[in-house]
């Protein structure tokens, strides 16, 4: 089973994540409406079972809640993937969202890195700070061990730009975690 359960508690957040790479229930409650929408879209478009319960210090702002949720979801992906054997490893995908076009290319490499190229015309989407998209993606990439490239090719609406990026990530991950005929990592080194 390609599943993981990860809990993390700090003085700022308490987070519980359940992940199934092969599908299952989607239930997201972070206290941030737009972030719930993005993680739900990520789960549905990736074909992942994802349960997220985050209690954060939203009286401060949304930063700790979003970044720390990215940390825990990243750790869950790393745990569910194990030695990363038997998967396609690479994935790339474009997602159009009305006037916006988002692109993601990634490598489940064990070498975390983020290249993020997006600008957001509006600073806020509901009670979600647009700049937190990059913070979530960084936390996710570094804790999952994924080399992650995300680009907004163009767009005029921050909601559409952000949603295109989350969905592009989901579809690229879906391609990368597809099972192959081998049980070994796809690497000339033999390990990742």
């Amino acid at each position: 089973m390609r599943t993981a359960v990860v809990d993390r508690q700090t003085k700022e957040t308490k987070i519980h994540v359940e992940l199934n790479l092969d599908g299952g229930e989607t239930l997201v409650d972070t206290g941030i409406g737009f972030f719930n929408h993005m993680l739900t879209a990520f789960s549905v478009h990736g074909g992942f079972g994802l349960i997220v319960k985050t209690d954060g210090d939203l009286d401060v702002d949304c930063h700790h809640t979003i970044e720390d949720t990215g940390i825990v979801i990243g750790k869950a992906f790393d745990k569910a993937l194990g030695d990363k054997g038997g998967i396609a490893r690479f994935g790339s995908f474009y997602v159009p969202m009305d006037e916006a076009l988002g692109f993601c290319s990634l490598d489940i490499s064990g070498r975390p890195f983020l290249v993020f190229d997006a600008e957001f015309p509006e600073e806020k989407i509901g009670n979600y700070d647009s700049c937190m998209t990059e913070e979530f993606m960084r936390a996710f990439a570094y804790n999952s061990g994924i080399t992650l490239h995300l680009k907004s090719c163009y767009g005029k609406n921050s909601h559409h730009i952000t949603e295109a990026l989350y969905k592009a990530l989901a579809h690229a991950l879906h391609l990368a975690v597809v099972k192959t005929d081998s049980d070994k990592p796809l690497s000339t080194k033999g390990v990742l």
Side-chain angles (χ1 to χ4, degrees):
M1 293 287 295
R2 302 189 310 162
T3 62
V5 176
V6 179
D7 290 283
R8 181 177 189 263
Q9 184 167 354
T10 71
K11 292 180 180 179
E12 298 167 340
T13 59
K14 179 180 179 183
I15 303 168
H16 172 80
V17 169
E18 298 176 30
L19 173 69
N20 186 331
L21 296 179
D22 300 308
E25 183 180 11
T26 299
L27 182 60
V28 178
D29 179 10
T30 67
I32 304 167
F34 183 73
F35 190 41
N36 292 346
H37 178 44
M38 291 302 93
L39 293 181
T40 298
F42 170 77
S43 173
V44 170
H45 283 264
F48 310 125
L50 182 65
I51 296 172
V52 177
K53 175 59 177 153
T54 301
D55 293 311
D57 57 355
L58 294 176
D59 58 312
V60 174
D61 67 9
C62 66
H63 191 115
H64 301 140
T65 297
I66 294 171
E67 182 178 37
D68 289 8
T69 300
I71 290 170
V72 180
I73 293 174
K75 288 182 182 295
F77 265 87
D78 186 53
K79 185 175 177 181
L81 287 165
D83 70 355
K84 300 172 182 63
I87 60 169
R89 181 177 159 182
F90 297 93
S92 296
F93 210 85
Y94 282 95
V95 169
M97 186 75 194
D98 295 346
E99 88 298 341
L101 182 66
F103 174 71
C104 177
S105 188
L106 60 84
D107 175 10
I108 301 175
S109 61
R111 295 184 310 278
F113 201 85
L114 175 68
V115 175
F116 188 89
D117 183 6
E119 294 183 13
F120 303 96
E122 296 90 19
E123 291 183 14
K124 294 187 80 63
I125 309 164
N127 56 351
Y128 176 99
D129 294 343
S130 297
C131 65
M132 288 309 301
T133 302
E134 182 172 4
E135 297 304 318
F136 171 83
M137 297 302 180
R138 180 177 293 106
F140 174 77
Y142 278 79
N143 285 277
S144 61
I146 290 174
T147 301
L148 178 59
H149 292 245
L150 285 158
K151 180 175 180 59
S152 171
C153 302
Y154 43 79
K156 295 181 179 178
N157 179 286
S158 293
H159 183 133
H160 296 157
I161 293 166
T162 304
E163 190 162 347
L165 292 173
Y166 273 91
K167 287 179 177 177
L169 171 63
H171 282 277
L173 271 172
H174 180 77
L175 294 171
V177 302
V178 164
K179 295 176 188 175
T180 64
D181 293 334
S182 173
D183 62 349
K184 295 181 176 31
L186 181 60
S187 171
T188 56
K189 300 179 186 76
V191 296
L192 290 173

